Structures are given as structure tokens and as C-alpha cells.
């Protein structure tokens, strides 16, 4: 390996770049997780994380990647053979479905084209037809990281209510938490699944279940086997600032710093920043004459943009060129999108200049890899950023 000057651009849609402040926060001695210093820190973190999920109910923290929290959501609330309704929004919805089947659930997949989020009307229709309430849970991926489409969670809640269906509502926010507006309580979600390595700007290794009273009630009679993932012991110990097994202490230090940083910027400002970067990226894609994968403008993600390759050109060759020439990692197309799309992550610890550097790398990469495109993507993105900046200055002046 030869030394590569400058920072690597990690522009995959998670893990995202870990800011120095979080690295510094984690760079401390691991302490006794049964002692008073840990207890005080854990109480702060367990209270703070609720504000990020926008809930007043408990949030359970696992030392696990997001997949662990997917499993925890299901095994704590459901019984063997229960039917779960899921929407085929992309690869992550497909993986959650596979996991559900492996733990002993039955699934029904509302078909999708991997270019749209979950369809509230289709969910409502299916629930209305389920008059004997065989469906025990509805599961939706908020930000489908394989496609860059955002599912309308509040609308899905409305559809469940309109069908007067008692199913639990579970939402995966692994790639949206701390980046896109998300309201566990207001949107009536029973279990929200989150992860540390995206909007929370932490390394991989923590994942979350935010729970509702209804979900906790369901966990009392749920029949799927569980031990490590069980909520009961976790909730009991968490109430006093402790965990039933060794917690990921240093990641919790980092989480405390991440929560502080998100509030210092302000959650609304964080969400607006991600929306702005999504819009600027799409302007660049349009200027290049390329197509964004997500087909519904109302569902475009502020976290990532999946770009379709023109005329049979391979996305992986482009990513390889960009990595070797500019030391930037872009997200690969997953499963049936392999080699057909590349994904630009614009989430987490990310600002206007990081975006311009990222898009500059993509534009130079398109040229270097011989991908047919027009120039001017970076200019188009800068115009969107400039318009957003003058809009916010005008708003400040009016205040
Ligand atoms: C939306 C979504 N769900 C689930 C997962 C799986 O999480 P993990 O890889 O942390 O287990 C990911 C990972 O990228 C994701 O983006």
C-alpha cells in the first residue's frame, strides 16, 4: 500500500464518516459497567436516545448491528407461525422478510418494483380484507438503503387505522434515524428499529428498538424463543442505568456525543441539511443526463441517491475507477441492482463542501471511466446549495 494523502471519502450510505468529536469521545478507558460512573452515563444516554426517536417510551440498546434489532423486534412481539405483512421496497425489506421466515414467522410480501417506497393504499386494502386478523404485524423500511426511496410511515399508520386493524406496526429506520424526520410516538409506531452507523455518525455496533406500550404488552404473551434479545430483563435493568450483559461501553460514550451534536445543530436543521443535500445531488444527476432510481419525487431520500447507469455501462467499473483515482467509496448496487446502479451517500457528518467534493469525484469518475454524460452536475448542485443558503439568510433577516 502507498500512502494516500487527504481523507478517504466514505460516501457509501452507511457506515458514514465518524466525526473526530465522536472518535475522541470513544477514546477513553472502558469503565466498570456495574459502577456508578457507568450508571450515570447510561441514564443520560438512555434518556437522550429517546429524543432522537421522538418518543417518551423506552429505547432498548443492543451491542449488535441493525440486523440484531430487526430480529429483536420480531421475536419479542410475535409467536411461531404468525403472519407478517411486508412491502417489497428493495433489498433491505427482502432481508428482513428472510429473517422473519428464519425465526419461524409466515410472511406476505406486497410486491414492489424497487423504485418506490411502501404503498399505504395497498397495505390498507390488504388489512381491510384480513377480517379475521391473521396478520399480526405490518413491517416497513422507512429509508430503503438499496434504492433511495422513503416510505410514507405516517400514511401507513393512517391506513392501518382506517382498516381498523390491530396489527403491530414496525418500522426500520436503520438508515434514516438522525437524518430524516422520524416520529415514533406521533406516527404511532410500535417497534422502531435503528442502527448506529448512519445518521448517528457512530461506528457500526449498536442497534435499537424503540417500543410502544402496545408492543411491550404484546411481548408478555409472545411465543417466539428469545433470550439475548429479550426486552423484559433489559427494561428492568435499564430503569436503573444498567444492562443484563456487558454493554458496548465505548460506543455508548460515542452515542452520548452524537446525541449532543444532533441537538446542538437542532434536529430540524439536521433534517433540512439532508433534504438540501438530496436535492442538490439530484440536480447534479439530472445535469449529467443520468436517472435517479427512485421514481417518485415525493419519496426521494435525503440520505442517499441511487443513480442508474446509462446504456449498459457497469456501475462497479465506475466505482472502481473512482476508488482508485480519487480515494472515494460509493455504494454498490445490491442484489438485482448489482452493477446497474451506484449509490451516493450524503448522510451523517456531511456538509455542503463534502457534497461538492463527492459530486466532483463522481463527475471526474464518469469522465475517466468513459460513461456517457453531460458536464455541469457540480454547477447544478452548487446552484441548489446557493439558493438554499440565500433562502435561509432571507428567513433569518425576516425574523
Ligand atoms: C435499511 C437497512 N436495514 C437494515 C440494515 C441491516 O443492518 P446491519 O447491516 O447493521 O445489520 C441496513 C444496513 O445497511 C439498512 O440500511
Amino acid at each position: 500500500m502507498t500512502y494516500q494523502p487527504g481523507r478517504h471519502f466514505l460516501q457509501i450510505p452507511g457506515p458514514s464518516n465518524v466525526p473526530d468529536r465522536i472518535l475522541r469521545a470513544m477514546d477513553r478507558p472502558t469503565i466498570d459497567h456495574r459502577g456508578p460512573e457507568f450508571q450515570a452515563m447510561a441514564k443520560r444516554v438512555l434518556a437522550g436516545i429517546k429524543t432522537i426517536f421522538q418518543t417518551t417510551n423506552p429505547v432498548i440498546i443492543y451491542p449488535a448491528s441493525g440486523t440484531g434489532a430487526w430480529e429483536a423486534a420480531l421475536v419479542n412481539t410475535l409467536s411461531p407461525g404468525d403472519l407478517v405483512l411486508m412491502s417489497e421496497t428493495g433489498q433491505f425489506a427482502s432481508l428482513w422478510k428472510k429473517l422473519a421466515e428464519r425465526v419461524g414467522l409466515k410472511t406476505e410480501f406486497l410486491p414492489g418494483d424497487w423504485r418506490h417506497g411502501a404503498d399505504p393504499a395497498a397495505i390498507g386494502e390488504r388489512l381491510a380484507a384480513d377480517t379475521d386478523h391473521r396478520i399480526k404485524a405490518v413491517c416497513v423500511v422507512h429509508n430503503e438503503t438499496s434504492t433511495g426511496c422513503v416510505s410514507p410511515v405516517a400514511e401507513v399508520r393512517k391506513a392501518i387505522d382506517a382498516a381498523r386493524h390491530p396489527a403491530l406496526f414496525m418500522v426500520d429506520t436503520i438508515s434514516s434515524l438522525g437524518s430524516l424526520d422520524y416520529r415514533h410516538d406521533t406516527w404511532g409506531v410500535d417497534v422502531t428499529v435503528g442502527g448506529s452507523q448512519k445518521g448517528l455518525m457512530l461506528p457500526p455496533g449498536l442497534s435499537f428498538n424503540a417500543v410502544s406500550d402496545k408492543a411491550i404488552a404484546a411481548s408478555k404473551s409472545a411465543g417466539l424463543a428469545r433470550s439475548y434479545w429479550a426486552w423484559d430483563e433489559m427494561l428492568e435493568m435499564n430503569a436503573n442505568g444498567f444492562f443484563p450483559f456487558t454493554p458496548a461501553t465505548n460506543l455508548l460514550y460515542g452515542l452520548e456525543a452524537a446525541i449532543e451534536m444532533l441537538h446542538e445543530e437542532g434536529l430540524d436543521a439536521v433534517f433540512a441539511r439532508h433534504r438540501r443535500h438530496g436535492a442538490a445531488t439530484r440536480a447534479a444527476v439530472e445535469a449529467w443526463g443520468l436517472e435517479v432510481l427512485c421514481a417518485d419525487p415525493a419519496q426521494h431520500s435525503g440520505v442517499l441517491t441511487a443513480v442508474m447507469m446509462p446504456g449498459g455501462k457497469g456501475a462497479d467499473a465506475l466505482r472502481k475507477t473512482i476508488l482508485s483515482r480519487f480515494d472515494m467509496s460509493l455504494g454498490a448496487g445490491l442484489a438485482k441492482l448489482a452493477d446497474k446502479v451506484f449509490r451516493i451517500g450524503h448522510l451523517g457528518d456531511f456538509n455542503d463542501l463534502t457534497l461538492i467534493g463527492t459530486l466532483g469525484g463522481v463527475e471526474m469518475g464518469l469522465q475517466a471511466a468513459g460513461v456517457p454524460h453531460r458536464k455541469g452536475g457540480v454547477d447544478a448542485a452548487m446552484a441548489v446549495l446557493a439558493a438554499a443558503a440565500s433562502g435561509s439568510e432571507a428567513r433569518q433577516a425576516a425574523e
Side-chain angles (χ1 to χ4, degrees), residues 65-67 70 92 141 143 145 172 174-175 197-198:
S65 84
T67 303
W70 261 350
F92 289 101
V141 175
N143 185 73
T145 325
D172 167 346
I174 289 172
S175 64
Q197 73 272 30
K198 313 229 183 200

Side-chain angles (χ1 to χ4, degrees), residues 41-62:
M41 185 269 293
K43 282 187 173 175
R44 289 193 302 274
V45 170
L46 287 162
I49 191 65
K50 294 181 188 189
T51 62
I52 307 300
F53 282 90
Q54 307 204 50
T55 182
T56 54
N57 265 11
V59 177
I60 289 152
I61 306 177
Y62 294 108

Side-chain angles (χ1 to χ4, degrees), residues 79-238:
S79 297
D82 277 356
L83 180 61
V84 178
L85 183 65
M86 297 176 138
S87 296
E88 188 197 355
T89 49
Q91 174 65 356
F92 289 101
S94 305
L95 290 174
W96 200 7
K97 172 179 177 283
K98 185 170 132 197
L99 185 153
E101 288 162 2
R102 289 177 68 136
V103 300
L105 297 167
K106 293 202 165 55
T107 61
E108 190 175 317
F109 220 15
L110 291 171
D113 63 359
W114 293 38
R115 298 194 69 180
H116 294 83
D119 177 1
I123 292 171
E125 215 172 283
R126 180 63 190 92
L127 292 178
D130 182 41
T131 47
D132 52 355
H133 298 162
R134 284 188 55 240
I135 295 170
K136 300 299 179 205
V138 173
C139 296
V140 165
V141 175
H142 183 213
N143 185 73
E144 176 54 76
T145 325
S146 61
T147 67
C149 291
V150 180
S151 290
V153 174
E155 303 307 312
V156 175
R157 174 76 258 170
K158 281 188 201 146
I160 299 171
D161 292 345
R164 296 178 186 281
H165 199 288
L168 291 163
F169 184 25
M170 306 196 195
V171 180
D172 167 346
T173 64
I174 289 172
S175 64
S176 54
L177 188 75
S179 296
L180 307 183
D181 191 8
Y182 183 79
R183 304 167 190 210
H184 176 86
D185 285 1
T186 311
W187 293 349
V189 180
D190 293 303
V191 189
T192 300
V193 177
S196 57
Q197 73 272 30
K198 313 229 183 200
L200 292 179
M201 307 171 284
L202 292 165
L206 290 182
S207 57
F208 310 92
N209 278 176
V211 297
S212 70
D213 292 341
K214 183 173 162 182
I216 294 175
S219 74
K220 312 267 184 228
S221 58
L224 280 172
R226 58 195 179 273
S227 172
Y228 183 77
W229 305 116
W231 289 345
D232 52 359
E233 287 179 2
M234 189 69 116
L235 289 172
E236 204 183 307
M237 303 269 308
N238 280 178

Side-chain angles (χ1 to χ4, degrees), residues 311-327:
K313 289 280 179 183
D316 290 346
L318 170 67
R319 289 190 315 105
K320 200 169 159 202
T321 300
I322 291 174
L323 179 61
S324 63
R325 293 244 187 146
F326 310 117
D327 197 20

Side-chain angles (χ1 to χ4, degrees), residues 15 20 22 88 100 128-129 137 159 172 181 198 276 280 282 298 302 319 367 378 385:
D20 290 350
I22 290 182
E88 188 197 355
D172 167 346
D181 191 8
K198 313 229 183 200
R276 178 171 85 241
R282 291 190 299 277
R319 289 190 315 105
Q367 169 80 29
V378 174
L385 297 178

